Amino acid sequence: MTAPDGKGIPMAYTKPIIDAHTHVLHSNDGIDYLLKITGGYGYRQANILAAESCREDGYTGGAQNAQALLLKARRPDWWAFGSLNHHDGDLGGQLRMLIDLGFDGLKMIEGKPDTYKRLGSRPINGPEYDAVYAAAESAGFPLLMHVGDPPELWDADNAPEFAREHGWLYTGAGYPAPEELYAQVEDILARFPRLKVILAHFFFLSDNRERADRFLDRHPNALFDLTPGTEMFRNFARDPAAWRDFFLRRQDRLVFGTDNWDVLTEQEQKDKDDINRMLRTFLEEGGPYEIWGWKLHGVGLPEEALDRIYRENFRRVAGEEPRPVNRPLVLDFVRRRLEQAGRFGCTGQEKRDLREIADALEGM
């Protein structure tokens, strides 16, 4: 695979952009790929999100915290949000450890319905998580939470084929209903009102502008990121004037993100090219445009609104500058994870990754 290595997507906005939502999903080679793809699209800085969760129920990622820390050690100008590993029941202790290691926030995938089910269908506002939210609120440590999914994924007749292929059809037992998840978030934010939260993928409310407005009114410390779900842009195109008004009024509550990752195929790379162009065109241009045969429409925001969405809002929440990694503590963390790789559900590849990461940190 060849990552983009040009000067980015040719758009009118040329000031620095922070991509607040990226991943390494595969081996350590993905670190170099992610760095290259981010620069190739023209983004000055980015935030890498780990998503370890729980291996035994099918979710990979036992080396993702370590990979994020290595990337951050190599690029101190990048932010990194760590994740909880549910093989260790002390979730509050894990949160405090992430802070000590030098992470800038916490990524929570636990509210995505397939992960939610794998973890035993535990509500994300349940008592197991209270120590996490309390510690994060006390420390001003932000959360980026994936909660829910597009509503059509609960509809067997209308779910898109890609959702079926990925196991994202939520019609069986054990999956939470969308309203259950929304109620759980409302409860979390009511009990921890100073918690700083970025809700990924526009909180899957792009089909309900009024509800999105009411939610942001109730929770002044909550933001939405604009990371696709591509369904967002089709929903926005249904009433571009009203959505432009929303984006202007809420310009301090929105965060730019792409979901860029270390893709494996030429088709995935082409899709990423199209998605990055879709995002930038939507925000920066005010007329109709087309992606994948879809008739879309941009909102053409002024520069001051773009400044906030592309850069300033994320820095306000995650820190004006990234926190430094505690390299001795990180190296100890990686070594201990390697020693306990079986306990944490690491695959053979992830154990190799952890060894490489330990070697790289020792050589720095």
Side-chain angles (χ1 to χ4, degrees):
M1 280 300 306
T2 302
D5 56 5
K7 296 184 178 180
I9 301 165
M11 301 293 293
Y13 188 88
T14 59
K15 295 162 75 173
I17 295 174
I18 297 171
D19 182 351
H21 191 135
T22 71
H23 298 276
V24 169
L25 298 183
H26 304 111
S27 68
N28 291 344
D29 291 343
I31 295 173
D32 289 325
Y33 188 90
L34 182 61
L35 291 168
K36 187 174 183 181
I37 195 174
T38 301
Y41 287 130
Y43 308 142
R44 182 78 58 84
Q45 296 167 282
N47 179 36
I48 180 173
L49 306 174
E52 293 203 352
S53 195
C54 186
R55 171 69 191 176
E56 66 184 6
D57 291 313
Y59 201 91
T60 60
Q64 287 203 5
N65 278 332
Q67 287 169 333
L69 290 164
L70 176 60
L71 189 156
K72 189 173 165 67
R74 288 177 53 187
R75 286 290 303 267
D77 59 329
W78 276 47
W79 290 260
F81 280 30
S83 61
L84 304 173
N85 188 302
H86 288 261
H87 289 284
D88 182 349
D90 182 9
L91 300 184
Q94 286 191 58
L95 190 283
R96 292 186 290 274
M97 175 191 69
L98 295 176
I99 295 173
D100 291 343
L101 289 168
F103 278 108
D104 303 284
L106 175 69
K107 162 66 173 179
M108 291 192 71
I109 193 71
E110 287 85 349
K112 183 172 172 63
D114 57 337
T115 305
Y116 186 102
K117 181 180 179 179
R118 291 187 185 111
L119 294 173
S121 301
R122 292 184 301 181
I124 57 173
N125 65 332
E128 301 91 340
Y129 294 104
D130 281 356
V132 173
Y133 302 135
E137 182 184 50
S138 176
F141 196 66
L143 275 57
L144 196 153
M145 302 179 73
H146 182 132
V147 180
D149 257 342
E152 58 267 26
L153 303 193
W154 279 264
D155 184 346
D157 294 328
N158 294 308
E161 189 58 35
F162 78 84
R164 300 174 190 274
E165 292 172 357
H166 286 83
W168 297 339
L169 179 61
Y170 307 134
T171 56
Y175 294 114
E179 291 305 321
E180 290 180 73
L181 292 169
Y182 285 124
Q184 290 170 23
V185 171
E186 292 281 356
D187 178 64
I188 292 164
L189 297 183
R191 291 190 294 119
F192 301 96
R194 294 181 292 108
L195 193 63
K196 297 191 289 187
V197 174
I198 302 171
L199 291 154
H201 311 294
F202 207 76
F203 203 20
F204 302 101
L205 289 176
S206 63
D207 63 341
N208 195 330
R209 186 175 56 256
E210 293 79 10
R211 186 172 186 175
D213 250 332
R214 293 193 300 271
F215 180 87
L216 292 174
D217 281 339
R218 285 194 300 276
H219 304 295
N221 290 321
L223 295 85
F224 296 158
D225 88 14
L226 300 177
T227 305
T230 53
E231 82 285 342
M232 289 162 44
F233 300 94
R234 302 179 81 174
N235 289 333
F236 294 150
R238 294 189 178 114
D239 193 345
W243 276 111
R244 185 175 193 274
D245 176 69
F246 178 97
F247 273 70
L248 289 171
R249 287 186 293 103
R250 300 298 190 179
Q251 61 185 268
D252 61 343
R253 308 290 292 280
L254 304 170
V255 172
F256 180 77
T258 66
D259 230 351
N260 285 334
W261 67 73
D262 49 321
V263 302
L264 295 178
T265 69
E266 293 293 340
Q267 184 59 53
E268 285 182 323
Q269 182 60 72
K270 183 180 184 304
D271 289 344
K272 283 298 173 192
D273 294 345
D274 289 338
I275 287 169
N276 281 264
R277 181 164 59 90
M278 182 182 343
L279 269 163
R280 296 286 304 277
T281 304
F282 170 76
L283 291 169
E284 297 178 38
E285 297 186 2
Y289 66 106
E290 187 171 313
I291 300 282
W292 301 329
W294 298 349
K295 306 295 184 181
L296 305 178
H297 200 289
V299 290
L301 298 178
E303 184 175 298
E304 58 270 22
L306 294 172
D307 289 344
R308 293 186 175 95
I309 292 168
Y310 278 146
R311 183 176 61 255
E312 293 171 6
N313 294 339
F314 178 72
R315 293 180 70 180
R316 184 181 77 242
V317 172
E320 285 295 314
E321 299 297 335
R323 302 176 69 232
V325 297
N326 184 330
R327 198 169 298 170
L329 195 62
V330 169
L331 182 56
D332 182 63
F333 166 79
V334 175
R335 286 171 174 159
R336 285 187 289 106
R337 177 59 56 88
L338 186 55
E339 290 169 359
Q340 303 176 56
R343 173 191 167 199
F344 285 99
C346 295
T347 65
Q349 178 61 57
E350 289 161 358
K351 286 187 277 188
R352 290 190 290 275
D353 289 338
L354 289 166
R355 292 189 191 98
E356 289 178 2
I357 292 167
D359 290 344
L361 290 168
E362 287 173 343
M364 285 184 170

